[in-house]
Amino acid sequence: MKSGELRVRLFAGLREEAGWQERSLAHQSGITPAAAWMLLNLGGTAPPATVRVAINHEFAALDTPLANGDEVAFLPPISGG
Amino acid sequence: MKSGELRVRLFAGLREEAGWQERSLAHQSGITPAAAWMLLNLGGTAPPATVRVAINHEFAALDTPLANGDEVAFLPPISGG
Amino acid sequence: MDVELLAAPFDPLQSLTAWQASLRVRRPCIGAAEAHFIGRVRPVAADGAPLEALEIEHYPGMTERQIAAISQALALDYGVAAVLVRHRVGRLKPDEPIVVVAVTADRRGPALHCCQELLERLKHEAPFWKREWVNGCGNWVAGNTPL
Amino acid sequence: MDVELLAAPFDPLQSLTAWQASLRVRRPCIGAAEAHFIGRVRPVAADGAPLEALEIEHYPGMTERQIAAISQALALDYGVAAVLVRHRVGRLKPDEPIVVVAVTADRRGPALHCCQELLERLKHEAPFWKREWVNGCGNWVAGNTPL
């Protein structure tokens, strides 16, 4: 990934609906996961309430400012164990 | 065991205090575990509150009338598992 | 219902292996949820002294009957598919397994809760008595350790 | 803390055997109380149809990290001695083991409760997604089965 970029990842049903699993996105000052969702046209104006966000492998809030090089992931409802 | 008798059994600490593990006792009409305890001089006028009674391998009350040939056991506090 | 008292040391994982194999004879899929508990002899006595051995006395006939009755009642209450109990009697050394309890069910809730309640009821309603041996002296244990 | 994701079928009792052996290397007495849970693939899908396979997707890196963090936090909370987690990923057939969780502690309460809470937190906080395959069609499972 080039500097000045974010990596966005989708999983399970979200990945299949979007038709891709990983994209990069230009980093802009103040960009959040919520903004990335809109910029990538992932549906509606925000992720459904059941979708969780992770930044660099840790759960995070939708409005967390993203840093250069961050990996943001949108996670549909978890069903482990 | 002869007919007309009861079998009385003691376990663990009770057995060691009494110095025996099994005795027979003549069956008398209306005899109960509580009465058997007294007749065998097992201490005081009744078993301590922590002692449980079993008749023929099932828990029972101290004042249950005993039938001919019954096996009555006095059980100190249980510590299984 | 698979209940047995054992007079010699045993390996709980081998008991579980044999039990699972016996369940598979009856049906291709054993329960989706399986809970186990293994209890072992602590290396120290109640007063903190190093333990030489733990002696477990039981009431032959009544103990087996009580365990089977408790297991059957709980299996019915929780709607679980199968229950295993193995419990040692006799003289045990520190770290030796005392008991293994296992429950298989369709859901994790019944498997976990039945396993836990079965263990608790064994401890309070199955006639076993423990004696701790320290420096050649034996002391009867009064009741159970706290949960 | 002994956590691993597995891409191929495994035998939970063999995982437990290896784990116990590894604990004994460090000390002669492993905990007096040990609780386990094994979860397996149900033979039917959520709608009752016979299941062909269960596919489990994860988030490489994050999933392992989350399980380790949950295990560490709970081990500290409950004061337990050791924790084992093995979790399958990939395509599983009915009855195949999905997960084994094991906890060893000095007392039965912490062992049982930690095992149960660890399982619950894995189900809700470790990124895994299940897809049920029935007649060649895959359906993503929305959330977990009830307790």
Side-chain angles (χ1 to χ4, degrees):
Chain A
M1 191 170 48
K2 286 173 285 181
S3 127
E5 285 192 345
L6 302 170
R7 183 196 306 236
V8 180
R9 299 186 65 169
L10 302 178
F11 290 91
L14 283 180
R15 182 191 67 238
E16 296 192 328
E17 247 170 83
W20 53 267
Q21 64 178 353
E22 189 171 328
R23 288 221 172 147
S24 51
L25 192 66
H27 180 259
Q28 324 170 9
S29 172
I31 192 172
T32 61
W37 179 274
M38 297 247 288
L39 285 167
L40 290 164
N41 293 311
L42 284 166
T45 55
T50 56
V51 169
R52 296 175 76 178
V53 173
I55 300 174
N56 301 330
H57 294 177
E58 292 201 63
F59 290 116
L62 260 177
D63 59 357
T64 311
L66 293 165
N68 218 330
D70 275 355
E71 173 171 307
V72 58
F74 294 105
L75 315 177
I78 282 172
S79 57
Chain B
M1 190 170 50
K2 286 173 287 182
S3 126
E5 286 191 344
L6 302 170
R7 185 196 304 236
V8 180
R9 300 185 66 168
L10 302 178
F11 289 90
L14 283 181
R15 182 190 67 239
E16 295 193 327
E17 247 170 82
W20 54 267
Q21 64 178 353
E22 189 171 330
R23 287 221 173 146
S24 52
L25 192 65
H27 180 260
Q28 325 170 8
S29 170
I31 193 173
T32 61
W37 178 275
M38 296 250 286
L39 285 166
L40 290 164
N41 293 311
L42 284 166
T45 56
T50 56
V51 169
R52 295 176 76 178
V53 173
I55 300 173
N56 301 329
H57 294 177
E58 293 201 63
F59 289 116
L62 260 178
D63 58 358
T64 312
L66 293 165
N68 217 329
D70 275 355
E71 174 171 306
V72 55
F74 295 104
L75 314 178
I78 282 172
S79 57
Chain C
M1 214 60 48
D2 188 339
V3 170
E4 220 175 307
L5 300 185
L6 304 168
F10 75 111
D11 177 346
L13 296 180
Q14 283 184 10
S15 302
L16 290 167
T17 304
W19 176 64
Q20 288 183 354
S22 76
L23 296 178
R24 281 188 204 288
V25 171
R26 284 186 279 149
R27 42 206 168 147
C29 289
I30 64 180
E34 191 174 308
H36 310 153
F37 180 84
I38 298 170
R40 294 190 186 84
V41 179
R42 286 196 175 73
V44 291
D47 65 359
L51 188 83
E52 281 167 18
L54 182 73
E55 186 187 336
I56 304 179
E57 181 172 331
H58 73 297
Y59 184 173
M62 178 171 179
T63 306
E64 297 88 329
R65 180 179 177 154
Q66 274 293 111
I67 299 176
I70 294 166
S71 305
Q72 237 145 16
L74 289 179
L76 204 64
D77 281 2
Y78 284 100
V80 306
V83 171
L84 172 84
V85 179
R86 294 286 180 271
H87 200 296
R88 270 298 303 280
V89 294
R91 193 177 170 94
L92 287 76
K93 284 186 286 238
D95 196 50
E96 272 188 21
I98 301 171
V99 63
V100 58
V101 170
V103 175
T104 173
D106 186 50
R107 301 235 168 255
R108 66 193 184 283
L112 289 162
H113 298 150
C114 183
C115 181
Q116 190 168 341
E117 189 172 341
L118 180 49
L119 179 66
E120 223 48 42
R121 291 190 58 182
L122 276 186
K123 283 185 170 280
H124 295 99
E125 298 171 33
F128 288 109
W129 298 277
K130 286 181 183 153
R131 175 151 57 174
E132 294 180 337
W133 287 93
V134 173
N135 287 328
C137 292
N139 291 300
W140 292 103
V141 175
N144 285 291
T145 53
L147 188 67
Chain D
M1 215 59 47
D2 188 340
V3 170
E4 220 174 308
L5 300 185
L6 304 168
F10 74 111
D11 177 346
L13 296 181
Q14 283 183 12
S15 302
L16 290 167
T17 304
W19 177 63
Q20 288 182 354
S22 76
L23 296 178
R24 280 187 206 290
V25 171
R26 283 187 281 149
R27 39 205 169 148
C29 289
I30 64 180
E34 191 175 309
H36 310 154
F37 179 84
I38 298 170
R40 294 191 186 83
V41 179
R42 288 198 174 72
V44 292
D47 65 358
L51 188 83
E52 281 166 18
L54 182 73
E55 186 186 335
I56 304 179
E57 180 171 332
H58 73 297
Y59 184 172
M62 179 172 179
T63 307
E64 297 88 329
R65 180 180 176 153
Q66 274 293 110
I67 299 176
I70 295 166
S71 304
Q72 237 145 17
L74 289 179
L76 204 64
D77 281 1
Y78 284 100
V80 307
V83 172
L84 172 84
V85 178
R86 294 287 180 271
H87 199 297
R88 269 299 304 280
V89 295
R91 194 177 169 94
L92 287 76
K93 285 186 285 237
D95 196 50
E96 272 188 22
I98 300 170
V99 64
V100 59
V101 171
V103 175
T104 174
D106 186 50
R107 302 236 168 254
R108 66 192 186 282
L112 289 162
H113 298 151
C114 183
C115 181
Q116 189 168 342
E117 190 172 342
L118 180 48
L119 179 66
E120 223 49 40
R121 291 190 58 183
L122 277 187
K123 282 185 170 281
H124 296 98
E125 298 171 35
F128 289 109
W129 298 277
K130 287 181 182 151
R131 174 150 59 173
E132 295 180 336
W133 286 93
V134 173
N135 288 328
C137 292
N139 291 299
W140 292 103
V141 175
N144 284 292
T145 53
L147 188 68

